[in-house]
């Protein structure tokens, strides 16, 4: 009887534990969905834990059972979004064979399409990195992840003989990310499409040189102050 009773009690306790784990997963998922929606709609600073708790249907105190801080919750929400964005971009670029077209697609996606698709999450990424302390692991991991994924895609666009122009292999990806950060800020000033087109064109010229179809028709006077050595380094013809 004792053995039978012990077995029944153990079985009930296991069921209770399993149900508790399922409930915890459901609550955590509800919190993350609520946080994603609110972070997508508002800035990081304008989104409070009270707002998230109300949206998720839980008490504010319950949030701390799952996430120690708002910043921790933010990175838990943002990282899957960032991975999904980079996976989508990589699938798209794999279908493009021409290096210049591939690079243009990456730059338009990172500097234009991704921020436009979900501006507040892109802006909050910049805000989250700025808010994090220098030793914060989650923000460092997110920044390094973006740099590594982007670097792999960019290296596939740039010929080996031109990579040396950018020092170590990560320099151009860092330049692209810094531009991404700046465009997120200036996007509030309603940057024009022409400005984005010009930035993409200049970046492609820096990385790949002038388009072949331009040839010697690319005039040196279009780039005032550039001597022949500088023009050759970035692929601009210095001939009239």
């Amino acid at each position: 009887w004792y053995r039978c009773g012990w077995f029944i009690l153990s079985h009930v306790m296991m069921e209770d534990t399993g149900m508790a784990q399922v409930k915890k997963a459901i609550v955590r998922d509800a919190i993350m969905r609520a946080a994603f929606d609110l972070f997508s709609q508002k800035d990081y600073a304008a989104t409070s834990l009270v707002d998230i708790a109300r949206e998720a249907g839980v008490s504010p105190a319950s949030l701390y059972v799952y996430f120690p801080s708002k910043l921790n919750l933010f990175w838990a929400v943002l990282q899957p979004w960032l991975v999904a964005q980079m996976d989508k971009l990589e699938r798209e670029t794999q279908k493009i064979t021409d290096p210049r077209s591939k690079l243009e697609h990456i730059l338009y996606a990172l500097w234009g399409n991704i921020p436009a698709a979900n501006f507040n999450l892109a802006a909050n990424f910049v805000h989250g990195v700025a808010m994090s302390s220098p030793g914060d692991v989650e923000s460092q991991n997110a920044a390094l992840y973006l740099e590594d994924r982007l670097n792999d895609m960019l290296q596939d666009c740039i010929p080996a003989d031109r990579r040396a122009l950018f020092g170590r292999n990560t320099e151009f990806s860092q330049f692209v990310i810094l531009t991404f950060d700046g465009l997120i800020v200036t996007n509030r000033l309603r940057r024009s499409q022409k400005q984005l087109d010009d930035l993409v064109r200049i970046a492609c010229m820096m990385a790949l040189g002038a388009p072949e179809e331009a040839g010697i028709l690319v005039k040196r006077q279009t780039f005032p102050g550039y001597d022949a050595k500088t023009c050759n380094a970035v692929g601009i013809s210095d001939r009239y």
Side-chain angles (χ1 to χ4, degrees), residues 100 103-104 107 172 199-209:
R100 188 175 297 272
L103 179 57
E104 287 177 350
L107 297 178
F172 190 62
L199 285 171
V200 171
R201 175 180 55 81
I202 292 169
C204 287
M205 190 173 291
M206 288 171 55
L208 302 175

Side-chain angles (χ1 to χ4, degrees), residues 124-183:
N124 283 332
F125 170 78
V126 177
H127 193 174
V129 172
M131 288 281 294
S132 300
S133 63
D136 183 73
V137 175
E138 291 177 318
S139 63
Q140 289 179 359
N141 286 343
L144 288 173
Y145 171 82
L146 177 60
E147 182 180 302
D148 289 343
R149 289 293 300 271
L150 184 60
N151 188 59
D152 289 342
M153 284 186 273
L154 291 173
Q155 292 300 307
D156 196 35
C157 303
I158 303 173
D161 61 337
R162 294 194 64 81
R163 292 175 194 166
L165 293 174
F166 306 103
R168 293 184 296 110
N169 286 344
T170 59
E171 259 69 2
F172 190 62
S173 61
Q174 291 173 356
F175 160 76
V176 173
I177 292 172
L178 287 172
T179 306
F180 167 75
D181 294 350
L183 289 176

Side-chain angles (χ1 to χ4, degrees), residues 69-130:
S69 67
K70 184 172 78 168
L71 191 60
N72 180 271
L73 172 57
F74 169 72
W75 287 120
V77 167
L78 187 107
Q79 287 173 359
W81 173 81
L82 182 61
V83 170
Q85 294 297 322
M86 298 308 291
D87 285 347
K88 179 176 180 291
L89 178 56
E90 187 170 34
R91 289 194 300 270
E92 293 170 351
T93 58
Q94 287 174 346
K95 300 176 183 177
I96 305 172
T97 56
D98 176 64
R100 188 175 297 272
S101 298
K102 182 177 290 192
L103 179 57
E104 287 177 350
H105 186 81
I106 293 171
L107 297 178
Y108 273 116
L110 194 68
W111 293 349
N113 298 340
I114 291 176
N118 202 317
F119 174 73
N120 277 309
L121 278 185
N124 283 332
F125 170 78
V126 177
H127 193 174
V129 172

